[in-house]
Amino acid sequence: MVSETEAVEIYRDAIVFDGLNIANWSREIFEAWQQGGITGVSCTCGTLEGFRGAIANVV
């Protein structure tokens, strides 16, 4: 059994990747991911809003 301290250390040393994130991104969101130990994120910029809405999310 892994102790809580060991589990935190394993997580801290791990590569943690969010493979699908749909969000209205902001500096606050990126900082929260960093504080939570997220190493990388695959950001989706368009799902149901159509082409123009998806492009507006990128700009």
Side-chain angles (χ1 to χ4, degrees), residues 7 11 29 34 38 45-47 56 58:
Y11 183 80
I29 289 173
Q34 184 179 28
I38 301 295
C45 61
T47 55
V58 174

Side-chain angles (χ1 to χ4, degrees), residues 21-47:
N21 193 287
I22 302 168
N24 214 356
W25 310 301
S26 67
R27 180 178 187 93
E28 180 181 351
I29 289 173
F30 286 112
E31 288 174 352
W33 286 337
Q34 184 179 28
Q35 288 176 345
I38 301 295
T39 308
V41 178
S42 174
C43 296
T44 300
C45 61
T47 55

